[in-house]
Amino acid sequence: MRIGELAAATGTSTKALRFYEDSGLLPPANRTGSGYRDYEDDAIDRLNFVRRGRAAGLTLKQIREVIDIRESGTAPCGHVQDLLNTRIADLDRQISDLRTLRDTVVHLRDGAANANPADCRAEDVCRYL
Amino acid sequence: MRIGELAAATGTSTKALRFYEDSGLLPPANRTGSGYRDYEDDAIDRLNFVRRGRAAGLTLKQIREVIDIRESGTAPCGHVQDLLNTRIADLDRQISDLRTLRDTVVHLRDGAANANPADCRAEDVCRYL
DNA sequence: CTTGACCTTCCAGTGCGGTGGAAGGTCCAT
DNA sequence: ATGGACCTTCCACCGCACTGGAAGGTCAAG
């Protein structure tokens, strides 16, 4: 399987596949006599794993850590659990921060809705912000 | 007022102040005979405006747009209202996306909590992700 | 034999909001 | 006059996940 076929089969770009190889997410591909990358079907499994990790909001670095554990011969279950728990905690914090920010911005917007330009000192740029 | 004093007075770094000047968020500062930047007090007002904008999650580019409108002699109220309404819509979408993602990750975590390493194909790296 | 699609490597750039460091000038106190 | 704190410009780099493009090689069809 050539790189373009793998890209089409997995919905990635050839650029991204070479980047993934450089980043250690894909093992260095076998090469044909003329130097073209030649993939086995298991590259699809690997890319699906990367896609699932990305969908869970993991960074490529975190995904690579899981892969490295698997490659070292150990099942990565424990690490994956830690990763997911940390991810949930991060998401909770992000969501909470965004909600606080939303409240703030709504207050600003409500203030600005009744704005009177004459109230504003030009030095402040805009007193409603 | 020299750049270090302005930095201390506003909780920014001197690096950031020069960067803001280059970015058009601060007007080019007056210079002393020896070339040092020499700020008036209104630079503090301007930086407070930038800080408020940042706190509302606006990008420096958006903040600069508001400043440019003010500099052009127009009160930026209308633009600020649009900006804030768009910002609220963006925040709502972000929060909703993160909540969906959180649900997904919680399901994954719950699956992984009862993981049996023997269930996993090594090619999949980790079936719980 | 040429055309066009595909592949290779390598370097650079994207957006964001800055930070780091080098090389050099200035100011003030001792 | 010397030390140290401060200032100047300029260029490079951070993380993140790629993307764009140049210059060149390969392969199959017509």
Coordinates of all heavy atoms in Angstrom, one line a residue, chain A residues 33-81:
Chain A
G33 N 11.7 -0.8 -4.1 CA 13.0 -0.7 -4.7 C 13.3 0.8 -5.0 O 14.4 1.3 -4.9
S34 N 12.3 1.5 -5.4 CA 12.5 2.9 -5.9 C 12.3 3.9 -4.7 O 12.3 5.1 -5.0 CB 11.5 3.2 -7.0 OG 10.2 3.1 -6.5
G35 N 12.2 3.4 -3.5 CA 12.2 4.4 -2.4 C 10.8 4.8 -1.9 O 10.7 5.6 -1.0
Y36 N 9.7 4.3 -2.6 CA 8.4 4.6 -2.1 C 8.1 3.9 -0.8 O 8.4 2.8 -0.6 CB 7.4 4.2 -3.2 CG 7.3 5.0 -4.4 CD1 8.3 6.0 -4.7 CD2 6.2 4.9 -5.3 CE1 8.2 6.7 -5.9 CE2 6.1 5.7 -6.4 CZ 7.1 6.6 -6.7 OH 7.1 7.3 -7.9
R37 N 7.3 4.6 0.1 CA 6.9 3.9 1.3 C 5.8 2.8 0.9 O 5.0 3.0 0.0 CB 6.2 4.9 2.2 CG 7.2 5.8 3.0 CD 6.5 6.8 3.9 NE 7.5 7.6 4.5 CZ 8.1 8.7 4.0 NH1 7.9 9.0 2.7 NH2 9.0 9.4 4.7
D38 N 5.9 1.7 1.6 CA 5.1 0.5 1.3 C 4.5 0.0 2.6 O 5.2 -0.6 3.4 CB 5.9 -0.6 0.6 CG 5.1 -1.7 0.1 OD1 3.8 -1.5 0.0 OD2 5.6 -2.8 -0.1
Y39 N 3.2 0.3 2.8 CA 2.6 0.0 4.1 C 1.8 -1.3 4.1 O 1.3 -1.7 3.1 CB 1.6 1.1 4.5 CG 2.2 2.5 4.8 CD1 2.3 3.4 3.8 CD2 2.7 2.7 6.0 CE1 2.9 4.7 4.0 CE2 3.3 4.0 6.3 CZ 3.4 4.9 5.3 OH 4.0 6.1 5.5
E40 N 1.8 -1.9 5.3 CA 1.0 -3.1 5.6 C -0.3 -2.6 6.1 O -0.5 -1.5 6.5 CB 1.7 -4.0 6.6 CG 3.1 -4.4 6.4 CD 3.2 -5.3 5.1 OE1 2.3 -6.1 4.9 OE2 4.3 -5.2 4.5
D41 N -1.3 -3.5 6.2 CA -2.6 -3.2 6.6 C -2.6 -2.7 8.1 O -3.5 -1.9 8.5 CB -3.6 -4.4 6.5 CG -4.0 -4.6 5.1 OD1 -3.7 -3.7 4.2 OD2 -4.7 -5.6 4.8
D42 N -1.7 -3.2 8.9 CA -1.7 -2.8 10.3 C -1.4 -1.3 10.5 O -1.7 -0.7 11.6 CB -0.8 -3.6 11.2 CG 0.6 -3.6 10.7 OD1 0.9 -2.8 9.8 OD2 1.5 -4.3 11.3
A43 N -1.0 -0.6 9.5 CA -0.8 0.8 9.6 C -2.1 1.5 9.7 O -2.3 2.5 10.4 CB -0.1 1.4 8.3
I44 N -3.2 0.9 9.1 CA -4.5 1.4 9.3 C -5.0 1.3 10.7 O -5.6 2.3 11.3 CB -5.5 0.7 8.4 CG1 -5.1 0.9 6.9 CG2 -7.0 1.1 8.6 CD1 -6.0 0.2 5.9
D45 N -4.7 0.2 11.4 CA -5.1 0.0 12.8 C -4.4 1.1 13.6 O -5.0 1.7 14.5 CB -4.6 -1.3 13.3 CG -5.3 -2.5 12.7 OD1 -6.5 -2.3 12.3 OD2 -4.7 -3.6 12.5
R46 N -3.1 1.3 13.3 CA -2.3 2.3 14.1 C -2.9 3.7 13.9 O -3.1 4.4 14.9 CB -0.9 2.2 13.6 CG 0.0 3.3 14.2 CD 0.1 3.2 15.7 NE 0.8 2.0 16.2 CZ 2.1 1.9 16.4 NH1 2.9 2.9 16.2 NH2 2.6 0.7 16.8
L47 N -3.3 4.0 12.7 CA -3.8 5.3 12.4 C -5.2 5.5 13.0 O -5.5 6.6 13.5 CB -3.8 5.6 10.9 CG -2.5 5.9 10.4 CD1 -2.5 5.9 8.8 CD2 -2.0 7.3 10.9
N48 N -5.9 4.4 13.1 CA -7.2 4.5 13.8 C -7.0 4.8 15.3 O -7.8 5.5 15.9 CB -8.0 3.2 13.6 CG -8.7 3.2 12.2 OD1 -8.9 4.2 11.6 ND2 -8.9 2.0 11.7
F49 N -6.0 4.2 15.8 CA -5.7 4.4 17.2 C -5.4 5.9 17.4 O -5.8 6.6 18.3 CB -4.6 3.6 17.7 CG -4.2 3.9 19.1 CD1 -5.0 3.6 20.2 CD2 -3.0 4.6 19.4 CE1 -4.6 3.9 21.5 CE2 -2.7 5.0 20.7 CZ -3.5 4.6 21.7
V50 N -4.5 6.4 16.5 CA -4.2 7.8 16.6 C -5.4 8.7 16.5 O -5.6 9.7 17.3 CB -3.1 8.2 15.5 CG1 -2.9 9.7 15.5 CG2 -1.8 7.4 15.7
R51 N -6.3 8.4 15.6 CA -7.5 9.1 15.4 C -8.4 9.1 16.6 O -8.9 10.1 17.0 CB -8.3 8.6 14.2 CG -9.4 9.5 13.6 CD -10.1 8.8 12.5 NE -10.3 7.4 12.6 CZ -11.1 6.8 13.5 NH1 -11.8 7.6 14.3 NH2 -11.2 5.5 13.5
R52 N -8.5 7.9 17.2 CA -9.3 7.8 18.5 C -8.7 8.7 19.6 O -9.4 9.3 20.3 CB -9.4 6.4 18.9 CG -10.1 5.4 17.9 CD -10.6 4.1 18.6 NE -9.6 3.4 19.3 CZ -8.8 2.5 18.7 NH1 -8.8 2.2 17.4 NH2 -8.0 1.8 19.5
G53 N -7.4 8.6 19.7 CA -6.7 9.4 20.7 C -7.0 10.9 20.5 O -7.3 11.7 21.4
R54 N -6.8 11.3 19.2 CA -7.1 12.8 18.9 C -8.5 13.1 19.2 O -8.8 14.2 19.7 CB -6.8 13.0 17.4 CG -5.4 12.8 16.9 CD -4.5 13.9 17.4 NE -4.8 15.2 16.9 CZ -4.9 16.3 17.6 NH1 -4.6 16.3 18.9 NH2 -5.2 17.5 17.0
A55 N -9.5 12.2 18.9 CA -10.9 12.5 19.2 C -11.1 12.6 20.6 O -12.1 13.3 21.1 CB -11.7 11.4 18.6
A56 N -10.3 12.0 21.5 CA -10.4 12.1 22.9 C -9.7 13.3 23.4 O -9.6 13.6 24.6 CB -9.9 10.9 23.6
G57 N -9.1 14.1 22.5 CA -8.5 15.3 22.9 C -7.0 15.1 23.4 O -6.5 16.0 24.0
L58 N -6.5 14.0 23.1 CA -5.1 13.8 23.5 C -4.1 14.4 22.6 O -4.5 14.5 21.4 CB -4.8 12.3 23.6 CG -5.6 11.4 24.6 CD1 -5.2 10.0 24.6 CD2 -5.6 12.0 26.0
T59 N -3.0 14.8 23.0 CA -2.0 15.4 22.1 C -1.2 14.3 21.5 O -1.3 13.1 21.9 CB -1.0 16.3 22.9 OG1 -0.3 15.4 23.8 CG2 -1.6 17.4 23.7
L60 N -0.6 14.6 20.4 CA 0.2 13.6 19.7 C 1.3 13.0 20.6 O 1.6 11.8 20.6 CB 0.8 14.1 18.4 CG -0.1 14.6 17.3 CD1 0.6 15.0 16.1 CD2 -1.1 13.5 17.0
K61 N 1.8 13.9 21.5 CA 2.8 13.4 22.4 C 2.2 12.4 23.4 O 2.9 11.4 23.7 CB 3.3 14.7 23.2 CG 4.4 14.5 24.2 CD 5.0 15.8 24.5 CE 6.2 15.7 25.5 NZ 5.8 15.4 26.9
Q62 N 1.0 12.6 23.9 CA 0.4 11.6 24.8 C 0.1 10.3 24.1 O 0.3 9.3 24.6 CB -0.9 12.3 25.4 CG -0.6 13.4 26.3 CD -1.9 14.1 26.8 OE1 -2.8 14.3 26.0 NE2 -2.0 14.5 28.0
I63 N -0.3 10.4 22.8 CA -0.6 9.2 22.0 C 0.6 8.5 21.8 O 0.7 7.2 21.9 CB -1.3 9.6 20.7 CG1 -2.7 10.3 21.0 CG2 -1.4 8.4 19.8 CD1 -3.3 11.0 19.7
R64 N 1.7 9.2 21.6 CA 3.0 8.5 21.4 C 3.5 7.8 22.6 O 4.0 6.7 22.6 CB 4.1 9.5 20.9 CG 5.4 8.8 20.5 CD 6.2 9.6 19.6 NE 6.3 11.0 20.0 CZ 7.2 11.4 21.0 NH1 8.0 10.6 21.5 NH2 7.2 12.7 21.3
E65 N 3.2 8.4 23.8 CA 3.5 7.7 25.0 C 2.8 6.4 25.2 O 3.4 5.4 25.6 CB 3.1 8.6 26.2 CG 4.1 9.8 26.5 CD 3.5 10.8 27.5 OE1 2.5 10.4 28.2 OE2 4.0 11.9 27.6
V66 N 1.6 6.3 24.8 CA 0.8 5.1 24.9 C 1.4 4.1 23.9 O 1.6 2.9 24.3 CB -0.7 5.3 24.6 CG1 -1.5 4.0 24.6 CG2 -1.3 6.3 25.6
I67 N 1.7 4.5 22.7 CA 2.3 3.6 21.7 C 3.6 3.1 22.2 O 3.9 1.9 22.1 CB 2.4 4.4 20.4 CG1 1.0 4.7 19.8 CG2 3.3 3.6 19.4 CD1 1.1 5.6 18.5
D68 N 4.4 4.0 22.8 CA 5.7 3.6 23.3 C 5.6 2.5 24.3 O 6.4 1.5 24.4 CB 6.5 4.8 23.8 CG 7.0 5.7 22.7 OD1 6.9 5.3 21.5 OD2 7.4 6.8 23.0
I69 N 4.6 2.6 25.2 CA 4.4 1.6 26.2 C 4.1 0.3 25.6 O 4.6 -0.8 25.9 CB 3.3 2.1 27.2 CG1 3.9 3.2 28.1 CG2 2.9 0.9 28.1 CD1 2.8 3.9 28.9
R70 N 3.1 0.3 24.6 CA 2.7 -0.9 23.9 C 3.9 -1.5 23.2 O 4.1 -2.7 23.3 CB 1.6 -0.5 22.9 CG 1.2 -1.6 22.0 CD 0.8 -2.9 22.7 NE -0.6 -2.9 23.1 CZ -1.2 -3.8 23.8 NH1 -0.5 -4.8 24.3 NH2 -2.5 -3.7 24.1
E71 N 4.7 -0.7 22.6 CA 5.9 -1.2 21.8 C 6.9 -1.8 22.8 O 7.7 -2.7 22.4 CB 6.6 -0.1 21.0 CG 5.7 0.7 20.1 CD 5.7 0.2 18.7 OE1 6.6 0.6 17.9 OE2 4.8 -0.6 18.3
S72 N 6.9 -1.3 24.0 CA 7.9 -1.8 25.0 C 7.5 -3.2 25.5 O 8.2 -3.8 26.3 CB 8.1 -0.9 26.1 OG 7.0 -1.0 27.0
G73 N 6.3 -3.7 25.0 CA 5.8 -5.0 25.4 C 4.9 -5.1 26.6 O 4.4 -6.1 27.0
T74 N 4.5 -3.9 27.1 CA 3.6 -3.8 28.2 C 2.2 -3.3 27.7 O 2.1 -2.5 26.8 CB 4.1 -2.8 29.2 OG1 5.5 -3.0 29.5 CG2 3.3 -2.8 30.5
A75 N 1.1 -3.9 28.3 CA -0.2 -3.4 28.0 C -0.3 -2.0 28.6 O 0.0 -1.8 29.8 CB -1.3 -4.3 28.5
P76 N -0.8 -1.0 27.9 CA -0.8 0.4 28.4 C -2.0 0.8 29.2 O -2.2 2.0 29.4 CB -0.7 1.2 27.1 CG -1.3 0.4 26.0 CD -1.2 -1.1 26.5
C77 N -2.8 -0.2 29.6 CA -4.1 0.1 30.2 C -4.0 1.1 31.4 O -4.8 2.1 31.5 CB -4.7 -1.2 30.8 SG -4.8 -2.5 29.7
G78 N -3.0 0.9 32.3 CA -2.9 1.7 33.4 C -2.6 3.2 33.0 O -3.3 4.1 33.5
H79 N -1.7 3.3 32.1 CA -1.3 4.6 31.6 C -2.5 5.3 31.0 O -2.8 6.5 31.2 CB -0.2 4.6 30.7 CG 0.4 5.9 30.3 ND1 1.1 6.7 31.2 CD2 0.4 6.6 29.1 CE1 1.5 7.8 30.6 NE2 1.1 7.7 29.3
V80 N -3.3 4.6 30.2 CA -4.4 5.1 29.5 C -5.5 5.6 30.5 O -6.1 6.7 30.3 CB -5.0 4.1 28.5 CG1 -6.4 4.5 28.0 CG2 -4.1 3.9 27.3
Q81 N -5.7 4.8 31.6 CA -6.6 5.2 32.6 C -6.2 6.6 33.2 O -7.0 7.5 33.4 CB -6.8 4.2 33.7 CG -7.6 3.0 33.2 CD -7.6 1.9 34.3 OE1 -7.8 2.2 35.5 NE2 -7.3 0.7 33.9

